[in-house]
Amino acid sequence: MLFYRRNFKSWIRIAVVMGIAGLAGLVVEHGLAAQDQSAATAAPESQVFTPAHPTVWSAVQEFFNYRPQPVQPIQFTHKVHLANGLQCVMCHVGVDQGPDARIPSDNFCMTCHRVIATDKPEIKKLTAYFNRGEDVPWQRVYGFLPSAHVKFNHAPHIRAGVDCSKCHGDMTKQTVAVRAVDHTMGFCIECHQQRNVSVDCVTCHY
Amino acid sequence: MERRDFLKISALSGAAAALDACGNPEHQLIRFIPEEDLTPGIATWKPSVCTLCPAGCGMLVRVMQGDAEVVRKGQLGLLKMGLAKKLEGNPAHPVNEGKLCPRGQAGLQVTYHPDRIRTPLVRSGPRGSGQFKEVTWDEATKQLAGQLSALASGKQQDRLAMVVPPLRGVKKSLLGAFAAALKAPAPVEFAFLDGGVVAAADAASFGPAEPPTADLGHSNYVLSFGADFLGTWNSPVAQSLAYGRMRAGRPGKRGKLVHFEPRISLTAGNADEWIPCRPGTEGALALSLCHVILRDKLAPAADAGHAGTLIEGWAQGLPDFDPEKAEQQTGVPAATIVRIAHEAATHQPAVALAGDSATAHTSGLFNALAVNALNALLGSAGKPGGILFTPAWTPSLGKTAEKSQAGGTLPALVKRIQSGPDAVKALLLFGANPVFAAPAAMQVREALEKVPFIASFGSFIDETSILADVILPDHSPLESWLDDAPVSGTARTVAKVAAPAMEPVHNTRGTPDVLLDVAHQLGGEAATALPWKSYDEALKAAFAPLQHEKGSVSATDPDEFWSKVREQGGWWSAEEKSLPVGGGKGSGVAATAAAPAFDGGADAYAFHLLPFATQMQYDGSLAHLPWMQEAPDPLSTVMWGSWVELNPATAKKLGIEQGNLVEVASQHGSVRAPALLAPGIAPDVVAMPVGQGHESFTRYASERGANPIAILAPMTVTGTDALAWAATRVKVARVGEGKIILFGARLHEMPEDVKHR
Amino acid sequence: MVIDLDRCTGCEACVVACHAENNIATVGEDQAARARAMHWIRVERYYEGEFPNVKTKFMPVPCQQCGAAPCEPVCPTFASYHTIEGLNGQVYNRCIGTRYCANACPYNTRFFNFYNPVWDKPLDLQLNPDVSVRSEGIMEKCTFCVQRIKAGEVQAAAEKRLVKDGEIQPACVQSCPTQAMVFGDLSDPESEASRLARSNRATRLLDELGTFPKVTYLQRGSWHDNENA
């Protein structure tokens, strides 16, 4: 039944059912957590890794593809850096070599910001992090959900001449990165078809 | 896991994990500044050394950036660091040529084990209770140094003892030098499976006191006496590689493998002929083969050289071992003995190997000497296609190391401890687990409980380290500087070294560095004898002389040499070479030594107990790895447990069905495990895997299965100090229903189209 | 893929290599007892005969990547499908867990996640970032290490060349201590795998079912094959 097109009413019905299920799940979880308090106090952090949704609520969020824009700890401005002549790959090293691009660490930022613009409030935040020995806890902007079971490799896309802005939007207009482009499967497939590259499932899903 | 537990776990994780849709936990834990900027998603391969068994294979570690929860300066946080993701063999390495056994590959889980000791501990409850409290490294090392300097000021250094697993290379030299600098007795080496008997026999027959390198790849005929050389014996990966070449590596030639043992091991399962013989009579069998070869003039007696003359009656053609007499003693039909002898003698190069249970009877040394004589007679000692003896690399760390005295054996240490109050005042444990791996009758636990101070350097709380007063946890092998000098598996001299493949995950310290630190704290002679600031300096010094030898690394200056050696994962000699085999030093052995003795009368204890190392858990030191628990044993297909292997006919007689709980009792105790009926075991033998039955060894291995070592008789192999672990007789009885988890064969019967032709 | 049963010793190095490479969950004692242990490649062991004339045989069984795979047509969501390169693909995000494919597979090489897998921390640090972690309700199976195949293809494309024979090795093939397994392109008649697949020892598992498996087994030899025997 899940595979038929729905009208608005049936979405509401599903939302209500899932909401109730979510509440019930939370109650059950809290009950069990309370029973197992000794374990909980001894280990405040999660002791296991699992692909399970941490809460029913998060499963509901994922089901409806609800992803709020991330709030970054520092209002990093891509706009200014690019306007000053920096290139994407200068900071996002490795994007043309492998699957992922590097998010620079404090050390990297501080190579310039020890001397440049040290009086700006956001740079002061950076310096404070650096002095505490902490890395800036940047929040992930893009990235696929684990349940999409999809693997993306930047390097072949760069080599094929796909412009960064194709998937990340025009960074010369953004301060902190925002989710400018919706990375749906349709978005990927469209480009793959235009460029006559494989649209076989296992090209990306494994 | 029960559904209930599962719910609990998901609830626990739910309580803490992030709620946003990305599931990113970034905003809860602080992030530390990474120590190095790695590019995510790109793997680098770093050389390392496998330390899980004495084979000493070379590894490559796949290192990728990842987020690890670590504690730095007392605070929990996330650190982007290089993490080992997979272990593979190092293709350049002469021992394992890019291959790795299942145990070696599971070494990854040692580093990431959830029950690894994460920080130094001091005992806070009664000894053995497992109650410890966390302390800083300064406190822990101060405690250790305090104990050692108290011994020194009281001139009681001889009351210090150290127990180590069998070591090689610079680590052995360093521990020896440490003991010598402290004027303490040398470390006592202990492992359940050690190659001591084979090495002693080789020294007597041929000269080199080391296990042989079997050049199976060039053999046409392989005779294996108990040695599970494809599974756990000696250097399994090197031997497996050579076995593959022996079978299918030479067009038109296919070597034959004949295996003698009362039970089908992994090697026996791959043999063209598995010939069960009575336990402990392998030597008589080998000499009977010699008898036929001599009688039928397939080779002259003089060919065997010193290895032959060791055996009483050799010059007379071994009259005590004619096939008919041998049939009575060994249970192998005389006609089979004659046939095998002829096949072996006419299909040279032929090679014979003895190991495992064949060398763990009271007649073990005799068996090994007899097999050596057979090898010599077949002309395969020191020849291609036979057994070779690799020139070993023995590093030197200066004069102090050479001065170190012999450490003695574990039974001797137990005796020493029990000889009087405070005979041993302090004991240092370096990862060995004698409480588990020595028979209960040896009373190791009782002895250790009498030692006033025990320090352990192990990474896990096991049966032995639970008795410790202070635990100074070592890095995992992947986090450590490693070195090794394997003597088997290749005819090249090998000296291996590897820098840490990754930064430590926990608050641990490399044991060699701790020892250097303690020596410097003690000052005086200890500090001058161990001048290096850290272990890698000592390694560099030990490797320096190799620069001028002909080998895999050529360099003009010491620094270049050292960096190239590290890059390659070690140094090995340019040419393959076997040590000469004419230097045997042994004197004659009486033919009567061929008869094995057993603990327990045949009337009351009707069965021979055959403990065996398993493919996954080895001697028990790997039972704590979940991959090793869930990978089915290749022969029994048992997962997550142990078993008692019985012949179906025996089981029927005793009224035992598959899976029934049975009790196996010797004169020294009893253990219980489920029955497994297998056709590949002699009716008068019961076999039990070694490895399970831990009382305390992490969440995965504790209270699981049974430990047959516990009920073994403390008998030794005649002529050596080695434990004769196959010399115990037992009785077997059904005690109730049991549970056995079998992976089984999923195709139920072997499909016709891939059967033997 | 070609598996030489004359070389295979049943040591299970391939089994552990597969677990390490493919993020296969450890299901634990209770689930293992219910035959839910997941081994994408397993070693079948057969005994023949009775004491003392017992023969033991080992046979590693990965997914046979059938040419006419029984698992594919039964899938209602097209999660199991035939890839362009000829693998039996399993698309996890399409899978809804009907388990029809596992019922249809005559080789028993498909495994179902009855629960969400769990790694006790920090064991999760061993997870391979190149392979997705499957969750509850998903069927999984051997992929011939498709992540390694893709990486090999990307690498070759970056260097503007074709993939070389033997360049790509699944984890099991890489680890095999006796070199019993060979992986290569069967559509290239010159590849080592193709050459071995034409050997007179070559057979395919349950070939009579018409599944056209892409794994070729080389039968065990006997001593009498030896020209000196």
Side-chain angles (χ1 to χ4, degrees), chain B residues 460-474:
Chain B
F460 294 93
I461 294 184
D462 58 30
E463 289 82 352
T464 310
S465 65
I466 201 170
L467 302 173
D469 299 284
V470 51
I471 300 181
L472 304 101
D474 195 359

Side-chain angles (χ1 to χ4, degrees), chain B residues 254 635 700 746 753 756, chain C residues 6 44-45 120 204 226:
Chain B
R254 182 182 185 278
L635 286 142
Y700 304 112
R746 299 285 167 109
D753 53 357
H756 266 286
Chain C
D6 209 11
E44 299 262 296
R45 185 269 298 134
D120 293 331
R204 271 153 278 269
N226 197 327

Side-chain angles (χ1 to χ4, degrees), chain B residues 172-232:
Chain B
K172 185 188 177 99
S173 309
L174 186 85
L175 277 166
F178 181 73
L182 263 61
K183 300 197 179 68
V188 175
E189 293 194 356
F190 173 78
F192 178 69
L193 300 170
D194 73 352
V197 176
V198 174
D202 288 346
S205 301
F206 302 122
E210 59 182 44
T213 296
D215 187 19
L216 304 172
H218 296 107
S219 298
N220 284 326
Y221 208 92
V222 182
L223 294 155
S224 166
F225 295 85
D228 185 12
F229 65 83
L230 297 174
T232 51

Side-chain angles (χ1 to χ4, degrees), chain B residues 50-137:
Chain B
C50 183
T51 58
L52 302 184
C53 90
C57 295
M59 297 196 297
L60 287 181
V61 186
R62 185 175 192 239
V63 180
M64 289 177 92
Q65 187 206 276
D67 283 341
E69 277 177 32
V70 296
V71 176
R72 292 285 185 272
K73 291 181 192 141
Q75 194 176 14
L76 183 73
L78 284 174
L79 179 66
K80 268 191 193 140
M81 59 186 279
L83 296 170
K85 293 289 182 183
K86 191 163 186 296
L87 307 181
E88 291 184 359
N90 182 351
H93 200 276
V95 169
N96 57 320
E97 298 176 39
K99 307 300 177 183
L100 208 55
C101 75
R103 300 180 295 278
Q105 299 188 59
L108 196 57
Q109 294 197 318
V110 173
T111 298
Y112 299 134
H113 200 289
D115 294 336
R116 236 181 96 190
I117 303 170
R118 297 173 187 225
T119 190
L121 299 174
V122 166
R123 182 162 63 85
S124 62
R127 192 172 252 187
S129 66
Q131 289 165 1
F132 292 95
K133 71 169 198 280
E134 298 185 354
V135 293
T136 63
W137 271 103

Side-chain angles (χ1 to χ4, degrees), chain B residues 316-539:
Chain B
Q316 294 77 42
L318 298 165
D320 293 340
F321 296 98
D322 73 56
E324 285 70 29
K325 277 187 200 152
E327 176 171 348
Q328 285 178 8
Q329 197 183 350
T330 66
V332 179
T336 308
I337 297 175
V338 173
R339 179 174 56 81
I340 300 280
H342 276 255
E343 284 180 4
T346 55
H347 289 88
Q348 288 180 359
V351 62
L353 299 169
D356 286 335
S357 65
T359 54
H361 287 280
T362 56
S363 58
L365 184 64
F366 178 84
N367 293 345
L369 290 171
V371 171
N372 279 348
L374 175 61
N375 262 323
L377 185 62
L378 289 168
S380 49
K383 301 269 173 59
I387 50 167
L388 309 174
F389 293 97
T390 310
W393 178 59
T394 38
S396 164
L397 276 180
K399 282 189 192 134
T400 331
E402 266 97 74
K403 268 199 307 200
S404 68
Q405 319 141 30
T409 60
L410 186 72
L413 175 65
V414 170
K415 221 184 222 170
R416 220 175 101 203
I417 295 171
Q418 288 176 333
S419 66
D422 288 354
V424 170
K425 278 193 149 174
L427 182 103
L428 310 184
L429 280 167
F430 295 90
N433 186 2
V435 172
F436 173 82
M442 259 158 77
Q443 302 208 304
V444 179
R445 189 197 307 261
E446 291 76 358
L448 292 190
E449 277 168 354
K450 285 190 184 152
V451 178
F453 176 78
I454 299 177
S456 165
F457 294 87
S459 290
F460 294 93
I461 294 184
D462 58 30
E463 289 82 352
T464 310
S465 65
I466 201 170
L467 302 173
D469 299 284
V470 51
I471 300 181
L472 304 101
D474 195 359
H475 288 327
S476 84
L478 297 179
E479 300 162 345
S480 311
W481 277 93
L482 298 170
D483 73 286
D484 200 359
V487 289
S488 182
T490 173
R492 289 177 208 274
T493 302
V494 178
K496 293 201 301 192
V497 68
M502 58 184 280
E503 293 292 313
V505 184
H506 302 308
N507 183 23
T508 52
R509 264 187 209 176
T511 297
D513 288 332
V514 174
L515 295 185
L516 291 175
D517 188 24
V518 167
H520 297 160
Q521 279 188 33
L522 293 176
E525 218 174 301
T528 47
L530 300 164
W532 307 281
K533 277 197 207 70
S534 59
Y535 185 44
D536 53 309
E537 275 185 23
L539 284 170

Side-chain angles (χ1 to χ4, degrees), chain A residues 92-104:
Chain A
H92 298 297
V93 181
V95 71
D96 51 353
Q97 296 159 25
D100 302 324
R102 198 188 284 171
I103 308 286

Side-chain angles (χ1 to χ4, degrees), chain B residues 1-3 6 62 64 67-69 83-86 88 98-102 105-106 108-109 112-114 118 220-221 230 240-241 243-245 247-249 252-256 264 266 269-272 274 276 343 347 615-616 626-628 630-637 639-640 647 679 681-683 699-700 704 739 741 743 745-747 749-751 753-757, chain C residues 4-13 16-17 19-21 24-33 35 37-39 42 44-49 51-52 54-59 61 106-108 111 115-116 118 120-123 125-130 148 171 173-179 200-201 203-208 217 219-223 225-229:
Chain B
M1 183 187 301
E2 291 296 314
R3 191 173 177 83
F6 169 73
R62 185 175 192 239
M64 289 177 92
D67 283 341
E69 277 177 32
L83 296 170
K85 293 289 182 183
K86 191 163 186 296
E88 291 184 359
K99 307 300 177 183
L100 208 55
C101 75
Q105 299 188 59
L108 196 57
Q109 294 197 318
Y112 299 134
H113 200 289
R118 297 173 187 225
N220 284 326
Y221 208 92
L230 297 174
S240 294
L241 266 162
Y243 167 86
R245 287 174 190 143
R247 287 300 204 196
K253 268 191 188 174
R254 182 182 185 278
K256 179 169 179 173
I264 292 189
L266 191 67
N270 285 293
D272 297 274
W274 166 60
E343 284 180 4
H347 289 88
Q615 178 69 348
M616 298 305 162
W627 280 340
M628 296 289 87
E630 196 155 296
D633 176 74
L635 286 142
S636 65
T637 79
M639 301 183 279
W640 293 98
N647 187 293
I681 185 165
R699 64 187 76 179
Y700 304 112
R704 181 181 302 289
K739 192 173 98 173
I741 304 175
F743 188 69
R746 299 285 167 109
L747 297 177
E749 90 180 67
M750 191 163 193
D753 53 357
V754 286
K755 277 192 182 172
H756 266 286
R757 280 190 292 178
Chain C
D4 188 343
L5 297 179
D6 209 11
R7 283 178 182 251
C8 174
T9 63
C11 75
E12 297 197 11
V16 177
H19 271 251
E21 175 74 18
I24 300 174
T26 306
V27 297
E29 184 180 0
D30 295 335
Q31 292 295 308
M38 293 196 264
H39 298 293
R42 64 177 189 270
E44 299 262 296
R45 185 269 298 134
Y46 304 94
Y47 285 132
E48 275 175 19
F51 183 86
V54 185
K55 288 254 178 256
T56 320
K57 281 144 203 177
F58 297 102
M59 181 174 66
V61 185
Y107 304 103
N108 228 321
F111 302 91
Y115 295 105
N116 273 309
V118 167
D120 293 331
K121 278 184 182 179
L123 274 177
L125 297 184
Q126 80 199 7
L127 291 174
N128 182 358
D130 296 344
R148 290 186 175 214
V173 176
Q174 195 286 325
S175 72
C176 181
T178 57
Q179 299 173 313
N200 58 359
R201 291 195 285 138
T203 59
R204 271 153 278 269
L205 191 56
L206 303 177
D207 210 9
E208 67 275 17
Y217 290 90
Q219 287 175 318
R220 253 184 92 107
S222 87
W223 195 45
D225 302 345
N226 197 327
E227 60 197 16
N228 321 315

